[in-house]
Amino acid sequence: NSVFVSGKYAYMASAATNELQIYDVTNPNSPASIGSADLGGTGNSIYVSGKYAYLARAAAGGTCTSTTTTGCELLIYDVSNPVSPLFMGGADLGIGANSVFVSGKYVYIGQASATGNDLTIYDISNPISPFLVGGADPAQAINSVYVSGKYAYLGTAATNEFQIYDISNPANPLLISSTSTGTTAINSVFVSGRFTYLGDSDSSGTLRIYDVS
């Protein structure tokens, strides 16, 4: 479902057994599986920053603590030893997480549509105990989150599928732009320079490019 490359390793979030998979890609012609972890549910998105991997997981019932993953939709693993990823902590979001992005000391999570905020922001200064800082409610599921500078760019699943929030104050993100792209959903967002690239859910697989300068 998601892949993130850092250094000589590729980190995958999947729906297979041991949903976190780590590969050594030193030789791209022959990636070598070197480590894995059982998330207890489908991994939808992954982001690696420093020695930690942050994962968004499908909805799960149970308890979420620094020793119990069963109720965590956000999971944090120490991957400094990629052969043996170590669970550090997480958060019970109460609903499935579709997308995760890390910037500085915050993790930005796009959730399935729920009562309350579908964009949630957690302080991850202490990965054992991330805590909720703030969020925003676009009133629809968020499929993809990308953060660049002081803005969060969202791809959503309903009306006005492309949204931009000012996250200068993570406790109170402000919607500054909301655009209907003419598709049923935006599944992927990537920002480079002054342009945002959107991948939609249409069968034609349209790439949409917006100038966000």
Side-chain angles (χ1 to χ4, degrees):
N1 294 334
S2 179
V3 62
F4 193 102
V5 176
S6 179
K8 67 177 186 177
Y9 300 113
Y11 304 82
M12 295 178 59
S14 72
T17 303
N18 292 337
E19 298 87 357
L20 168 59
Q21 299 278 339
I22 304 175
Y23 287 81
D24 186 325
V25 291
T26 303
N27 178 3
N29 291 316
S30 183
S33 176
I34 60 168
S36 65
D38 182 5
L39 306 182
T42 299
N44 291 329
S45 180
I46 185 168
Y47 195 104
V48 177
S49 179
K51 69 176 187 177
Y52 297 112
Y54 303 82
L55 294 113
R57 189 178 75 171
T63 302
C64 180
T65 69
S66 60
T67 57
T68 305
T69 66
T70 53
C72 305
E73 286 84 25
L74 168 68
L75 302 100
I76 305 173
Y77 280 79
D78 184 331
V79 291
S80 52
N81 177 7
V83 174
S84 183
L86 177 64
F87 177 68
M88 298 296 294
D92 180 357
L93 308 178
I95 196 166
N98 294 334
S99 181
V100 62
F101 196 102
V102 175
S103 180
K105 68 176 187 176
Y106 299 112
V107 60
Y108 301 81
I109 305 164
Q111 300 175 191
S113 187
T115 302
N117 295 331
D118 302 308
L119 171 66
T120 52
I121 304 172
Y122 280 77
D123 187 314
I124 49 173
S125 301
N126 178 5
I128 294 174
S129 182
F131 64 90
L132 181 65
V133 175
D137 184 13
Q140 53 196 311
I142 299 173
N143 295 331
S144 184
V145 178
Y146 194 102
V147 174
S148 180
K150 68 176 186 176
Y151 300 111
Y153 302 82
L154 311 182
T156 73
T159 307
N160 296 329
E161 305 85 8
F162 176 39
Q163 300 190 15
I164 305 174
Y165 282 80
D166 185 326
I167 51 171
S168 301
N169 177 7
N172 185 32
L174 299 176
L175 178 65
I176 61 169
S177 176
S178 181
T179 303
S180 175
T181 63
T183 185
T184 54
I186 296 297
N187 289 339
S188 183
V189 179
F190 192 92
V191 180
S192 180
R194 58 185 277 196
F195 296 107
T196 298
Y197 301 82
L198 308 176
D200 68 25
S201 62
D202 292 351
S203 58
S204 58
T206 305
L207 170 66
R208 303 168 192 272
I209 305 174
Y210 284 81
D211 186 330
V212 291
S213 57

